[in-house]
């Protein structure tokens, strides 16, 4: 015996559809700047995090070629 969809089931389905559409839209865009690994952690960078970010950026390392087409990193 099948139960009829409830309002909660319908809401879950709508949410899942919206979530999947949003993921696909974001994945079509360019990857975020690598600096966001540091700047999106805290509202304000700690001195240690700023030092780590500066060292990383000075190293010249960016995204590895084998993952350039992957999202988000």
């Amino acid at each position: 015996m099948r139960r009829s969809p409830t309002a909660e089931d319908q809401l879950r389905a709508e949410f899942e559809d919206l979530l999947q559409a949003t993921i696909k839209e974001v994945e079509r865009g360019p990857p975020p700047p690598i600096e966001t690994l540091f700047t999106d952690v805290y509202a304000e960078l700690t001195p240690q995090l700023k030092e780590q970010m500066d060292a990383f950026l000075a190293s010249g390392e960016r995204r590895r070629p084998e993952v350039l087409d992957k999202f988000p990193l």
Side-chain angles (χ1 to χ4, degrees):
M1 179 183 216
R2 292 185 67 177
R3 68 180 177 94
S4 62
T6 64
E8 182 180 344
D9 293 334
Q10 292 173 346
L11 185 58
R12 284 181 187 273
E14 287 177 33
F15 178 73
E16 181 65 28
D17 290 345
L18 178 60
L19 181 62
Q20 292 303 317
T22 301
I23 289 170
K24 287 179 183 177
E25 181 180 333
V26 170
E27 287 178 336
R28 282 193 298 269
I34 198 77
E35 292 83 3
T36 60
L37 286 169
F38 300 94
T39 58
D40 285 353
V41 177
Y42 301 105
E44 193 171 314
L45 286 176
T46 65
Q48 295 85 0
L49 198 53
K50 172 88 168 89
E51 185 179 326
Q52 290 173 8
M53 181 178 77
D54 291 344
F56 176 77
L57 295 175
S59 75
E61 185 175 338
R62 292 310 223 184
R63 298 178 194 280
R64 296 184 321 234
E66 67 272 17
V67 295
L68 281 176
D69 63 335
K70 305 289 188 276
F71 184 84
L73 301 173

